[in-house]
Amino acid sequence: MIGEVTGIRKIRMLYLQLLYRCNFECLHCFHGKRLQHADAFTADEAVSLLALMRERYGTEAVTLLGGEPFVYRDLAQIVQYAKEELGQRVEICTNGYRIERRLTEIAPHLDLLRVSLEGVGSTNDRIRRFGSYQGALSALNLARELGVTTGATMTVTSRNIDEVLPLARILQTFGVQQLKLHHLRAVGNASDHPELLVTDPAAYSRLREELQTAELSIEVIVDEDLSEHGAPDYPTGHTWAFRSPGRVCRLQTPPRSNASLPEPTSRVARWPAGLPPQPREPASEPLQPPAAGALPLSVWPRCPPLAHDSVVLPKPHPVPGNADSA
C-alpha cells in the first residue's frame, strides 16, 4: 500500500474525516460545496482503517474531523475502539455547538477536544453561526469539568486578526492549553468572501510581534505562512509531517474519492513545494509514483486541498446521495 509506493514505514497520526456534513456553513470553510455531500465512512470502514493503520504503520494517534464529527452517528463507537482496542491517542476537532450530551458520553476515551473559534463574541458568530461563540465556550467549560484536555483553532482573517490576543486570554480562563492559528486560503466558501483575506502581509509580522511580547500561559502555534514573506519552500516547523526518511507524522483520509482502498498507487502525484494540491480529473495514463520519501504527496480526485504534509487514502465506496450520517 503506502509503503510500497512511497517508502514510508511509519505514520504517527491519522487524520480521519468521518463525513463532510456539518451543522454550520462558515464563511471561510475550505470544504465549500462538499458540506452538502452525504459521503461518510461507515463505522465498519472507519474501524477497519484504524486497525489497518495501527498494524501496518504503527499509527499512534487519530484526529477525527468532518464536517462536524459530533453529528456522526457512530462517533462513540469509533472513539472507544481507537482508545480501548488500539491504545491510540484520540483527538476531535469540532465547532463545539450543542455537543454536551455526546461529549459526556465519550469523555473517558478522549485525549483532546479541539474547538474552532474565529474571534470574540459577535465577530465569531458572524463568521460561523449565531450562538456558536457561547456554544463553544460551554463545550470547553464542560470538557474541563470532565477532565478532558482542550485546545482551539482560529483561522486568521481581516475581521479577527485584532482579536487573536483577546481570544487567547479568554481561552486561558477556560484552561485551554493550546491555540492554533491558521492562514486563510481563498478556497471553498472563502472564495466567495474575498473581504476576509488579510491583504496587508505586514499585519502578520505585527501579530507575531504581539504574540512574542504577550504574557500568555496558553501555547500559541502559528502557521508558517502567517508571515510577511509567506510559507517557506519546504517545511521547517514542528507542525509539518515529514521528520525523517520512511516516517510521516500524519496522514489524512477524506470520505469521498473515485478510487478504491487498498490499491493506491496509480493516482498518487508529486506536487511542487509551495503550491497547494488541486483536484484533478482522472488521467488517461497512470501518474508515476513519487520517489521514496518525496514531499508532498497528494491527491485523489474529489478530495479537498490539503497541507503539503498529507497523504490521502480514498474511501472504498461512495455512500448513496440520500444517506444520512447522524
Side-chain angles (χ1 to χ4, degrees), residues 14 21 26 57 99 105 123-124 153 159 168 217 234 287:
L14 173 68
R21 195 162 66 82
C26 301
Y57 302 101
I99 66 171
E105 179 184 8
T123 301
N124 173 86
T153 61
R159 293 186 183 178
S217 60
Y234 289 94
L287 297 170

Side-chain angles (χ1 to χ4, degrees), residues 189-204:
N189 289 348
S191 65
D192 296 324
H193 296 280
E195 73 279 4
L196 294 177
L197 295 171
V198 177
T199 56
D200 177 15
Y204 295 139

Side-chain angles (χ1 to χ4, degrees), residues 69-124:
F70 277 90
V71 304
Y72 182 75
R73 180 179 54 202
D74 297 312
L75 179 64
Q77 178 184 346
I78 306 305
V79 171
Q80 185 171 355
Y81 180 83
K83 188 65 179 177
E84 302 305 324
E85 298 298 325
L86 301 179
Q88 293 178 324
R89 174 180 170 82
V90 181
E91 175 179 338
I92 296 179
C93 294
T94 175
N95 57 40
Y97 189 70
R98 297 181 177 178
I99 66 171
E100 286 80 1
R101 180 182 61 83
R102 303 199 76 187
L103 176 58
T104 301
E105 179 184 8
I106 66 174
H109 316 291
L110 186 61
D111 293 285
L112 179 66
L113 182 78
R114 189 176 296 280
V115 177
S116 297
L117 283 158
E118 311 307 335
V120 178
S122 60
T123 301
N124 173 86

